């Protein structure tokens, strides 16, 4: 039977077990994703996958452009305005970046009980990438938003005090992590030179903040 959640509006690890029914809503999957998307607001089959590729903060500005190539004096020589390029290619769905310690609550009774979690840590989560990104973070985000019709952020803050309640079945433990949901996307980045040739294309994987929220699972 599907487990329903109730998300309370206050934003912080207070744990409790009480027997009471409640109503909640699960987020709809992202129809634009090219891979299965993690549904928010529902119990996941296991902990978040933290074995990510080596990620670094995205650059704030474009990489320096090479000087125009003036080696050819032919009047009809092909010319292109040198520029850095980023093209998003695949939406890989949502990934969760936790802030603060993992929380857990065990229901040792023979009845379904409610677990109550409250975020205790604050922090900021930004855009992280792997690969060689030639453009700055703002043009990259704009390209992704334009392709998939989403609203992303360069940075999101996580605050103390956000609460969530979830049913915990008998003899089970519910686990919770609070943090930022980020959109995982792959794209290509390269340079167009003045002679209209391009540099080698680099595959860039980006994790861009979408919104704050909980990741929940049980054992």
């Amino acid at each position: 039977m599907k487990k329903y959640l109730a998300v309370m509006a206050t934003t912080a690890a207070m744990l409790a077990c009480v027997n009471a029914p409640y109503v909640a809503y699960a987020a709809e999957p992202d129809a634009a994703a090219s891979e299965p998307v993690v549904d928010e607001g529902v119990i996941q089959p296991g902990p978040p996958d933290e074995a990510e590729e080596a990620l670094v903060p995205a650059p704030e500005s474009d990489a320096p452009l090479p000087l125009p190539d003036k080696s050819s004096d032919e009047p009809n020589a092909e010319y292109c305005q040198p520029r850095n390029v980023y093209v998003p290619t695949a939406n890989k769905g949502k990934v969760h970046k936790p802030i603060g310690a993992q929380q857990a609550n065990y229901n040792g009774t023979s009845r379904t009980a409610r677990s109550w979690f409250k975020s205790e840590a604050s922090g900021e989560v930004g855009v992280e990438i792997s690969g060689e990104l030639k453009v700055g973070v703002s043009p990259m985000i704009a390209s992704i938003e334009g392709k998939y019709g989403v609203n992303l952020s360069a940075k999101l803050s996580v605050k103390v005090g956000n609460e969530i309640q979830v049913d915990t079945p008998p003899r089970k433990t519910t686990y919770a992590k609070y943090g930022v949901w980020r959109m995982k996307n792959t794209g290509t980045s390269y340079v167009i030179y003045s002679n209209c040739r391009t540099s080698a294309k680099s595959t860039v994987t980006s994790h861009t903040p979408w919104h704050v929220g909980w990741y929940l699972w049980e054992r």
Side-chain angles (χ1 to χ4, degrees):
M1 181 177 180
K2 186 171 181 179
K3 304 171 181 67
Y4 289 89
L5 310 178
V7 180
M8 302 178 65
T10 39
T11 293
M14 176 177 180
L15 309 175
C17 283
V18 296
N19 295 309
Y22 64 97
V23 178
Y25 303 90
E28 291 295 328
D30 183 356
S34 58
E35 292 188 355
V37 180
V38 175
D39 286 338
E40 300 169 50
V42 298
I43 297 295
Q44 308 300 329
D49 183 9
E50 297 180 3
E52 300 173 349
E53 53 265 81
L55 300 175
V56 298
E60 293 291 332
S61 57
D62 285 21
L65 286 169
L67 294 173
D69 182 7
K70 298 181 179 179
S71 59
S72 175
D73 294 327
E74 296 181 14
N76 296 324
E78 189 176 19
Y79 176 81
C80 289
Q81 180 65 42
R83 61 188 183 275
N84 295 315
V85 177
Y86 170 79
V87 180
T89 56
N91 175 358
K92 300 294 185 177
K94 301 173 184 176
V95 290
H96 193 260
K97 178 76 171 182
I99 296 291
Q102 171 182 300
Q103 303 179 37
N105 191 41
Y106 175 66
N107 176 16
T109 73
S110 59
R111 296 172 295 176
T112 296
R114 183 180 295 183
S115 294
W116 184 7
F117 301 102
K118 190 174 184 179
S119 62
E120 290 187 320
S122 62
E124 193 174 67
V125 175
V127 182
E128 292 181 303
I129 65 166
S130 65
E132 189 175 358
L133 181 62
K134 296 296 185 181
V135 304
V137 64
S138 294
M140 184 195 72
I141 291 175
S143 296
I144 296 172
E145 289 179 327
K147 182 175 178 64
Y148 302 112
V150 295
N151 293 313
L152 305 175
S153 302
K155 293 180 181 179
L156 281 179
S157 296
V158 173
K159 298 180 181 180
V160 173
N162 186 276
E163 301 176 8
I164 192 169
Q165 297 180 46
V166 54
D167 275 348
T168 300
R171 319 298 182 195
K172 291 282 188 178
T173 300
T174 299
Y175 297 87
K177 286 187 175 185
Y178 189 63
V180 174
W181 286 96
R182 300 192 291 185
M183 180 176 179
K184 182 177 181 180
N185 185 82
T186 58
T188 57
S189 190
Y190 55 94
V191 178
I192 297 178
Y193 300 117
S194 60
N195 61 6
C196 299
R197 296 179 181 177
T198 66
S199 66
K201 294 183 178 182
S202 173
T203 298
V204 177
T205 298
S206 59
H207 291 199
T208 306
W210 210 334
H211 52 83
V212 298
W214 291 88
Y215 187 104
L216 305 160
W217 73 101
E218 66 185 30
R219 289 176 180 164

